[in-house]
Amino acid sequence: VLARLVREKLESLLDESYGTLAALLERWRGRIRAAFPDVTARRGLYESIVRGRVTALLRSGRGAEAERELLVQVDAGQGQARAGSVVLVGAGPGDPGLLTLRALRALQEADVILHDRLVSEEILDLARRDAQRIPVGKEAGHHSVPQAAINELMAQHAQAGRRVVRMKGGDPFVFGRGGEELEYLRALGIAYEVVPGITAAAACGAYAGIPLTHRDHSQSLRLVTAHCDPSGEGLDWRALASGRQTLAFYMGVARLGTVAEKLTEHGRAASTPVAIVENGTRHDQRVTIARLADLAAIAELGGVRAPALLIVGEVAALGAQLHWFGATPRLWPADVDQPAAVDEAA
Ligand code: SAH
């Protein structure tokens, strides 16, 4: 059993592109030996191939380009600087078990890791010991490194030949500014890859026992940010208020009251079930199940803390029965008089 465990661990680290890489190296081995008679220089070249752009291209399914890149590096000869690159990695919601294998590999190959504060310590501990870790942002209400500075940091390290991992909570393309960062890198001609992560809605739904769609209750799901516009004017509330759909509000802790007000104003029933998932997938996860009409009171008295996700829709009620992870959900207002709730309000 132990041997199998070790094998599983090894396999999780081995990349399926290694077979193709081995074949490629085998094919050009003679030429590499001729071009790099000195063994140290040859090792340097192999390092740069195995850890760098050639392998990245193979992983992206671009075999022909990988081979061309290999030959460019061989022909450029000794002293050729290793080209740096950036991998934009989704770290998921917090539980390290929700990282993808690809994310784990990127972490273990990185020279530099630029990470959001939402990325958990347990996940960062999976990185190479000697990798440089730089916290760069963002936590609502706290001071963070401006986007332009983050972009510059990424570029500087990559241009110095380092393998940079830019780690974000959840998925980098869901309210993560991943698109902006890629545009910046592309303009500078810096190579990049993207590793998706489990976004908060999927993770919080799963860990709270709340299916995001359900044949009986909800046929669509919208990921919405409550953050950008304090008045909520930028959102199409009429569309959001229509029934038989689930809404997942990101960055909404400060706007619970506004969300409830706007949705009911536009026709969603005040009795619609809602769930607030704080610290989803983490050991201190807390789930509150209530009605749309209760949100303002919860905001005021419930001691809701970021990161928290608001789920609106009939499916939210299912969490009261289907929950399986962490503490039992508190049912609002039934639990409101319990000492814990009162303490946090105070
Ligand atoms: N790219 C991220 C979202 C970044 S915006 C993703 O795909 O998940 C940050 C918001 O995500 C937070 O304000 C919160 O609404 C939500 N969030 C992230 N992690 C969370 C967690 N562990 N539990 C609850 N909500 C979370």
Side-chain angles (χ1 to χ4, degrees), residues 73-155:
Q73 291 192 20
V74 173
D75 291 341
Q78 302 180 24
Q80 156 90 344
R82 187 174 81 188
S85 59
V86 176
V87 192
L88 196 58
V89 178
D95 178 350
L98 296 176
L99 274 182
T100 62
L101 293 177
R102 212 160 164 142
L104 181 62
R105 285 183 207 123
L107 264 179
Q108 295 183 338
E109 287 173 4
D111 300 309
V112 180
I113 300 165
L114 302 174
H115 62 89
D116 285 359
R117 266 175 259 273
L118 269 182
V119 175
S120 72
E121 203 51 40
E122 285 156 290
I123 286 177
L124 294 171
D125 282 345
L126 297 170
R128 243 177 54 202
R129 287 290 130 90
D130 54 337
Q132 187 187 353
R133 296 182 191 179
I134 310 175
V136 287
K138 317 200 166 60
E139 203 172 21
H142 290 250
H143 189 70
S144 63
V145 182
Q147 189 62 45
I150 298 177
N151 290 350
E152 275 167 35
L153 266 174
M154 275 193 306

Side-chain angles (χ1 to χ4, degrees), residues 90-95 116 118 138-140 168-178 197-204 223-225 227 248-253 276-282 285-286 305-310:
D95 178 350
D116 285 359
L118 269 182
K138 317 200 166 60
E139 203 172 21
K168 293 165 175 292
D171 181 89
F173 281 0
V174 178
F175 307 127
R177 301 207 187 179
I198 297 189
T199 191
C204 293
L223 308 184
V224 190
T225 174
H227 180 63
F249 283 94
Y250 288 66
M251 296 177 276
V253 171
I276 299 169
V277 184
E278 293 162 76
N279 282 310
T281 82
R282 302 176 184 207
Q285 167 173 303
R286 179 168 73 161
R305 291 209 195 92
L309 186 88
L310 169 67

Side-chain angles (χ1 to χ4, degrees), residues 245-286:
Q245 61 173 335
T246 305
L247 310 175
F249 283 94
Y250 288 66
M251 296 177 276
V253 171
R255 311 255 186 284
L256 294 173
T258 316
V259 168
E261 196 181 304
K262 290 278 176 191
L263 288 176
T264 33
E265 202 179 297
H266 288 81
R268 192 107 191 206
S271 60
T272 307
V274 299
I276 299 169
V277 184
E278 293 162 76
N279 282 310
T281 82
R282 302 176 184 207
H283 64 90
D284 50 354
Q285 167 173 303
R286 179 168 73 161

Side-chain angles (χ1 to χ4, degrees), residues 253 256-257 274-276 278 286 288-305 310 330-333 336 345:
V253 171
L256 294 173
V274 299
I276 299 169
E278 293 162 76
R286 179 168 73 161
T288 307
I289 296 176
R291 304 269 164 193
L292 200 50
D294 302 320
L295 279 181
I298 297 175
E300 199 179 325
L301 306 169
V304 177
R305 291 209 195 92
L310 169 67
R330 60 174 176 166
L331 305 179
W332 195 281
V336 74

Side-chain angles (χ1 to χ4, degrees), residues 200-217:
C204 293
Y207 278 56
I210 297 174
L212 298 175
T213 67
H214 190 292
R215 279 200 293 168
D216 298 335
H217 309 297

